[in-house]
Amino acid sequence: MNRRRCATAAITVVSALTVLASPMLALPAYAAPEPPPAAPQKKTLEEVRKEIDGLYRKAAVATDAYNLAEEQTKQQSAEIVQLARMIVAGQAKIEELKTRAGAAARAQYRNGGLPESAQLVLTDDPQLFLDSAGRLQQGQKATRDLLGELTRSQAELTTYTKEASDNWTKLEANRVKQANAKKEINDKIAAAKKLESTLAAEELARLLKLEEDAQYRSQTTWLSSGILKELNGKATEQGRRAVEFATAQIGKPYVWGAEGPESYDCSGLTQRAWGVAGRGIPRTSQEQWRLLPRVEIKDMRPGDLIVYYKDASHIGMYVGNGAMVHAPRPGRNVTLAGAGSMEILGVVRPER
């Protein structure tokens, strides 16, 4: 009995040791609950203002691209029309020259198929020989001239046709540029308006105040340099007319791509004003900056155009006393503002 008890105890101990030595089932580890995601930090109104301003600036750059493509499209369309007329005229001229060449060939046939030089050799009449020799020289020159004119006309026709084809290719490329620029403009304006739509009425009022404050600070800094003491230039008659027209548009809305009379974009206003004053200038602010004569800011006079930002994406007209008139951006009207209320790139003068 004792032996049995000892054996049973031994088996129990071995079994326990075996269980302890065997791999244990893994219990699921305790996982602490994840903290809730942090709420996105709300942008300050000043950050919103800068973001909206950046979107409208990008829309302005795209507007310049659209306007330039539109101008080039108009120019190429006009050139294609002109070339088409020249092609028609060239074809008519070639047909007329071929008719004249055919008439000369038929005249030769009526003379028995003999060239005039052969008929000249066969004549026995000295006077007729002399007369025929003169006519022969004239006829040979006329034939050479006719063939030369026909060759030139055919070459011109080939050139006109190639130019028309090239212009058509450019026209189609500019139409693609226009479409892309239009999409970008609408996208940027829509994004800016979406941001504005998230603001309450009170915040929109504060946003406008922030915008005005930023312009005021920039203008004050510009004036503190003493620049007004140097700006003594008087407007010319042309400049005065341009200023009168531009300021008469105050209150009309900004619309991208618009050239008046009911709405304008920034370069549409300056181009139209100087057009009324009798001076045609390029359509876009970037082209106005690139192509018009530049003057020092200290030499600026009413009617001159002030170009803003490093990419020349905005333009206004100086009206005197440190002020300018411009079409600011979508959602704003043509207005007077401080000439130094934005970053000045330079000044151009439309007058020759």
Side-chain angles (χ1 to χ4, degrees), residues 249-286:
Q249 311 313 305
I250 290 174
K252 294 183 177 181
Y254 175 105
V255 173
W256 70 263
E259 304 171 22
E262 300 304 324
S263 57
Y264 298 89
D265 63 18
C266 65
S267 55
L269 176 64
T270 54
Q271 184 194 45
R272 179 66 178 150
W274 271 101
V276 168
R279 171 78 168 100
I281 64 174
R283 173 63 182 89
T284 71
S285 58
Q286 292 174 342

Side-chain angles (χ1 to χ4, degrees), residues 64-108:
D64 252 15
Y66 178 91
N67 289 335
L68 180 59
E70 184 178 42
E71 284 293 289
Q72 291 174 339
T73 296
K74 289 178 182 176
Q75 179 183 349
Q76 283 148 7
S77 295
E79 287 176 0
I80 287 171
V81 170
Q82 180 63 24
L83 285 166
R85 289 174 181 157
M86 294 168 75
I87 288 170
V88 170
Q91 288 172 333
K93 185 176 181 181
I94 287 172
E95 288 303 316
E96 188 264 336
L97 290 170
K98 286 180 177 178
T99 299
R100 285 167 54 188
R106 287 192 295 275
Q108 185 180 39

Side-chain angles (χ1 to χ4, degrees), residues 43-244:
K43 295 178 181 177
T44 67
L45 207 54
E46 176 62 14
E47 288 172 333
V48 172
R49 182 194 71 79
K50 288 181 178 179
E51 187 173 351
I52 289 173
D53 185 60
L55 288 167
Y56 280 125
R57 286 274 311 283
K58 289 175 181 176
V61 173
T63 298
D64 252 15
Y66 178 91
N67 289 335
L68 180 59
E70 184 178 42
E71 284 293 289
Q72 291 174 339
T73 296
K74 289 178 182 176
Q75 179 183 349
Q76 283 148 7
S77 295
E79 287 176 0
I80 287 171
V81 170
Q82 180 63 24
L83 285 166
R85 289 174 181 157
M86 294 168 75
I87 288 170
V88 170
Q91 288 172 333
K93 185 176 181 181
I94 287 172
E95 288 303 316
E96 188 264 336
L97 290 170
K98 286 180 177 178
T99 299
R100 285 167 54 188
R106 287 192 295 275
Q108 185 180 39
Y109 178 77
R110 286 195 298 271
N111 289 333
L114 292 174
E116 290 187 13
S117 55
Q119 296 178 26
L120 179 62
V121 172
L122 295 175
T123 184
D124 293 328
D125 187 336
Q127 185 59 46
L128 180 59
F129 180 90
L130 293 174
D131 292 343
S132 297
R135 287 197 305 274
L136 177 60
Q137 288 178 338
Q138 291 174 358
Q140 288 174 336
K141 182 178 184 306
T143 300
R144 286 195 303 271
D145 290 347
L146 178 63
L147 292 175
E149 191 173 0
L150 183 59
T151 301
R152 284 193 302 273
S153 295
Q154 288 174 327
E156 287 173 356
L157 187 60
T158 301
T159 300
Y160 298 155
T161 303
K162 183 179 184 306
E163 287 178 359
S165 176
D166 291 344
N167 274 345
W168 186 262
T169 301
K170 292 176 185 176
L171 181 66
E172 291 303 305
N174 276 321
R175 283 175 176 158
V176 171
K177 287 180 185 176
Q178 272 186 280
N180 291 339
K182 183 176 182 178
K183 183 180 184 305
E184 184 172 359
I185 294 164
N186 288 330
D187 287 349
K188 300 305 180 194
I189 292 175
K193 287 183 175 178
K194 184 177 179 181
L195 264 177
E196 291 173 333
S197 70
T198 63
L199 302 175
E202 180 186 342
E203 289 177 312
L204 284 172
R206 287 174 54 209
L207 186 70
L208 179 59
K209 182 68 166 56
L210 285 173
E211 183 181 312
E212 292 171 347
D213 287 347
Q215 293 173 357
Y216 176 78
R217 286 194 300 272
S218 182
Q219 174 75 351
T220 301
T221 301
W222 186 65
L223 292 178
S224 66
S225 67
I227 188 66
L228 277 186
K229 295 177 183 177
E230 300 182 62
L231 296 177
N232 300 314
K234 302 296 182 183
T236 62
E237 180 58 26
Q238 262 194 324
R240 183 189 62 78
R241 292 202 303 272
V243 168
E244 284 181 354

Side-chain angles (χ1 to χ4, degrees), residues 270-315:
T270 54
Q271 184 194 45
R272 179 66 178 150
W274 271 101
V276 168
R279 171 78 168 100
I281 64 174
R283 173 63 182 89
T284 71
S285 58
Q286 292 174 342
E287 288 295 282
Q288 289 172 14
W289 170 245
R290 187 173 72 86
L291 298 174
L292 295 178
R294 299 179 186 180
V295 296
E296 295 293 329
I297 294 177
K298 65 182 179 62
D299 297 324
M300 185 165 59
R301 67 191 185 201
D304 288 347
L305 305 180
I306 308 174
V307 185
Y308 294 97
Y309 306 117
K310 290 182 176 62
D311 55 7
S313 58
H314 191 68
I315 196 163

